[in-house]
């Protein structure tokens, strides 16, 4: 005898051997490529932008969503020789909007970025000594 019980948020279903011996009567429906609610990736089959794509990381919503959509659409549909070169105004508007919300859109300071890269390039005194020692022995 199969039965089901609820424990908190969980539903526990017990099935008998006989339940599993009966073939399933479920019918599978083929995916509709034009279904706007189906995850299709960034670009839909018809060439439109899928603003619900998780790959956009929520940028299409929020206080600067409209500016992002405008800039991204311009870039996507750009036919200029240097793609997106005609979208500078839209990207500038998006950047200005994002600067108004530093908690939502953190900006890396150029000086911090330079410091990080210079630290990566620095060598420790031990490495310098080892390099000098190696030159002497050769």
């Amino acid at each position: 005898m199969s039965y089901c019980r609820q424990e908190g948020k969980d539903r526990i279903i017990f099935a008998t051997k006989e339940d599993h011996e009966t073939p399933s009567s479920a019918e599978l429906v083929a995916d509709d490529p034009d279904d706007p609610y189906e995850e299709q990736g960034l670009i839909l089959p018809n060439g439109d932008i899928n603003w619900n794509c998780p790959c956009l990381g929520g940028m299409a919503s929020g206080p600067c969503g409209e500016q992002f959509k405008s800039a991204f659409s311009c870039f996507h549909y750009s036919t200029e020789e240097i793609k997106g070169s005609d979208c500078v105004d839209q990207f500038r508007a998006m950047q200005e909007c994002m600067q108004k919300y530093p908690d939502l859109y953190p900006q890396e300071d150029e000086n911090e970025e330079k410091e990080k890269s210079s630290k990566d390039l620095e060598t420790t005194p031990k490495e310098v000594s080892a390099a000098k020692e190696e030159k002497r022995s050769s």
Side-chain angles (χ1 to χ4, degrees):
M1 173 177 136
S2 60
Y3 68 96
C4 178
R5 77 173 191 238
Q6 193 81 23
E7 285 187 13
K9 65 175 181 59
D10 300 318
R11 179 185 290 180
I12 302 169
I13 301 171
F14 292 93
T16 64
K17 183 177 179 182
E18 292 79 29
D19 291 333
H20 288 288
E21 289 174 347
T22 308
S24 172
S25 60
E27 291 183 30
L28 299 177
V29 179
D31 290 337
D32 180 4
D34 297 322
D35 182 358
Y37 301 104
E38 190 70 30
E39 289 186 29
Q40 299 287 328
L42 181 58
I43 307 301
L44 297 170
N46 66 1
D48 290 344
I49 299 168
N50 179 7
W51 297 116
N52 295 320
C53 181
C55 62
L56 293 176
M59 291 294 293
S61 59
C64 299
E66 290 306 312
Q67 290 86 344
F68 174 79
K69 286 180 180 182
S70 174
F72 194 85
S73 295
C74 181
F75 180 82
H76 176 66
Y77 296 113
S78 176
T79 56
E80 292 297 310
E81 181 68 29
I82 299 175
K83 188 169 181 81
S85 61
D86 53 335
C87 306
V88 173
D89 292 337
Q90 289 89 336
F91 277 99
R92 184 173 292 122
M94 181 182 77
Q95 183 72 23
E96 288 170 0
C97 179
M98 290 176 165
Q99 288 172 346
K100 293 176 187 175
Y101 302 95
D103 292 343
L104 294 174
Y105 308 102
Q107 308 261 328
E108 266 199 45
D109 186 24
E110 287 182 24
N111 294 332
E112 285 179 23
E113 213 171 278
K114 288 177 186 176
E115 286 175 20
K116 285 180 187 176
S117 62
S118 66
K119 283 182 183 176
D120 292 341
L121 296 175
E122 288 178 4
T123 55
T124 63
K126 288 181 182 178
E127 291 173 296
V128 172
S129 299
K132 287 180 182 177
E133 196 63 39
E134 192 174 330
K135 279 187 180 179
R136 289 183 197 153
S137 64
S138 42

